[in-house]
Structures are given as C-alpha cells and as structure tokens.
Amino acid sequence: MTSDPISVLIWNENVDETRKPEVRAVYPDGIHGALAKAFERDGRFAVKTATMDEEECGLSEDALVGCDVLMWWSHHAHEAVPDTIVERVRRHVLDGMGLIVLHSAFMSKIFKALMGTSCELKWRNAGEKERLWVVAPGHPIVEGLGERIELAQEEMYGEPFDVPPPDELVFVSWFQGGEVFRSGCCYRRGRGRVFYFRPGHGTYPTYWNPQVQTTLRNAALWAARRAARIDGPPTRFGQHAPLEPLG
Ligand code: ZN
C-alpha cells in the first residue's frame, strides 16, 4: 500500500534575500527555494513554498487545511505577520498540523504564542564553527545521521534559551566561542508537533548541507499531521453529556 505524500509548505518572509546581496549569493532562489530542494526529489513529500508578499501572506485557510507540515523561516518581519494569520496557524497546529521553526524564527509571533515565553537567547554573528551533537540517538529526527553535524561557519546562539523545557531534546550545539545551545527541541501542542531547529543564518550555506537536509526531512516526517489523523475523531471540548444516567 502506498500512502499519499506528506504535504510540506515552506514559508519564508523573503526579506533578507531581497535586501542583502550576501544572502542572495548563498541562496539565489531564496532560503525557501533552498529548503524546497531538500524535499523535491523525495517521493515521500509534496513540497510548496509561500512568502509574505503573497495574499494572506501565503497562509490562507485553504493553504493550511491541505498542509501536513509548515516550515517557517523569518528574521526581520516577524511583526509584519498579522495576528489573525498567526492565530490561524496556531489553530491548525493545535488541530494536528506539524510546525518546524527555523533559526531566527525563534522570535516569530507563532513560536512565541506556542511557547508562552519570551524565547530570548544570546547571539553573535562571527562566522564561527558549530557542532550539533545528537543527544537523542535513535530519535526519528536523527535517523541516518552520525553522532554530530559540523558546520564550518554559523551564527552563534547561546543559552539560556527562554523556552519551556522541550518534550524531547534532539541536538545540543557547541560553538567555537564557548557557548552551548539546545538546537533541536521537540514540543507537542494540542494534537500538533513542533520542532525548533537552530542553524540557518542567511549568509552561510547551512541549508545546502546534506546532513541538515536529512534532518529537515526527518523532522517533517516526525511532525506531519498524519499522526494526528491516526488518533481518531476530532477532539471535543466544552459542555459534555454524561455517558451513563446520573440520577
Ligand atoms: Zn541569523
């Protein structure tokens, strides 16, 4: 039996690519274009991209209903996403849509809404080495990886990272400058699964790294809405009739 491909929607604010030649040099088709390349030759996935300049930021009800996993990259324009759209995305996550939050999207409205904390961290952009250590061997998100991923140049994010303790922690990063960071954090919110994955500063070729691409595909498989579908009928809340006579 073959199952339908997992529908992956890659969303990017697409601002750095239009303003900064150094980002365009690494990602000529945009960060979303590079992320899509990690999926498009794999028959398990059907991938689409969307950017903020589209109608309803490319995140219409129709787009989200058909989406098993939404991948989110943003940096400068977090506040430009209307609250009504953030709430729409949040509702779909609670109803089972997977969400993968990348790099600087730790400050996106949707991530902060789902975490309930400031999501603040330390940062430094000095092009230093990053080692992402796998701290959950056997987790589906690290299938096919070795014990670590090494990136020759990345921006540093340092602890403390003001997020709730993750349900599962998959990667811990070490940086050349001495800091450490929880770089792969899994959360369940409602029926949905959320994965925060740290690397991906726009001036470094991180999303072309084959191990990073493997991680992104694994994360999409882990987070996909189909897990919520298997769980049965829609969740019911509110006033509820007794199943047995009470009087
Ligand atoms: Zn960055």
Side-chain angles (χ1 to χ4, degrees):
M1 192 180 95
T2 54
S3 51
D4 289 342
I6 291 169
S7 156
V8 180
L9 179 59
I10 295 170
W11 189 87
N12 179 18
E13 65 177 27
N14 199 30
V15 173
D16 276 345
E17 296 90 328
T18 54
R19 288 188 193 161
K20 298 182 179 174
E22 64 271 30
V23 174
R24 206 161 46 242
V26 180
Y27 296 113
D29 298 320
I31 288 172
H32 53 293
L35 291 166
K37 287 254 181 339
F39 292 90
E40 63 190 14
R41 279 196 291 277
D42 187 326
R44 296 174 295 176
F45 303 100
V47 67
K48 290 182 188 166
T49 61
T51 51
M52 196 165 56
D53 54 359
E54 296 174 27
E55 195 173 338
E56 297 189 69
C57 300
L59 297 168
S60 67
E61 184 66 29
D62 279 352
L64 296 180
V65 163
C67 175
D68 294 318
V69 188
L70 176 63
M71 190 168 283
W72 189 289
W73 198 97
S74 55
H75 183 201
H76 292 294
H78 308 302
E79 295 303 315
V81 180
D83 289 344
T84 50
I85 290 178
V86 175
E87 178 52 26
R88 181 186 294 161
V89 172
R90 193 182 77 96
R91 177 166 48 77
H92 278 275
V93 171
L94 298 181
D95 193 38
M97 182 181 74
L99 178 68
I100 299 172
V101 176
L102 297 171
H103 187 61
S104 41
F106 72 87
M107 283 305 282
S108 61
K109 286 182 182 177
I110 183 60
F111 189 57
K112 289 194 287 187
L114 288 164
M115 295 296 107
T117 54
S118 77
C119 302
E120 292 279 4
L121 47 77
K122 294 188 180 75
W123 63 274
R124 170 178 65 243
N125 188 17
E128 63 203 271
K129 185 191 284 186
E130 175 178 9
R131 268 193 198 113
L132 295 102
W133 287 95
V134 172
V135 295
H139 193 283
I141 292 179
V142 297
E143 192 177 324
L145 300 180
E147 65 174 11
R148 64 185 186 274
I149 300 173
E150 298 219 6
L151 301 172
Q153 285 199 301
E154 253 296 350
E155 182 181 15
M156 182 284 292
Y157 284 181
E159 296 278 350
F161 184 20
D162 183 25
V163 288
D167 299 330
E168 295 161 280
L169 180 62
V170 178
F171 293 105
V172 171
S173 281
W174 166 93
F175 293 90
Q176 203 172 349
E179 293 85 356
V180 295
F181 192 77
R182 287 168 290 169
S183 280
C185 300
C186 300
Y187 296 94
R188 289 165 195 260
R189 291 292 182 268
R191 290 176 157 228
R193 294 179 177 188
V194 179
F195 183 58
Y196 174 77
F197 188 49
R198 193 217 76 83
H201 188 74
T203 55
Y204 307 116
T206 296
Y207 295 132
W208 297 118
N209 179 293
Q211 290 177 296
V212 168
Q213 293 183 341
T214 296
T215 306
L216 295 170
R217 287 190 296 269
N218 288 345
L221 292 170
W222 174 82
R225 190 193 288 271
R226 62 189 174 158
R229 285 192 185 129
I230 292 165
D231 287 344
T235 310
R236 288 185 294 161
F237 295 110
Q239 192 178 42
H240 198 252
L243 303 185
E244 306 290 341
L246 297 178

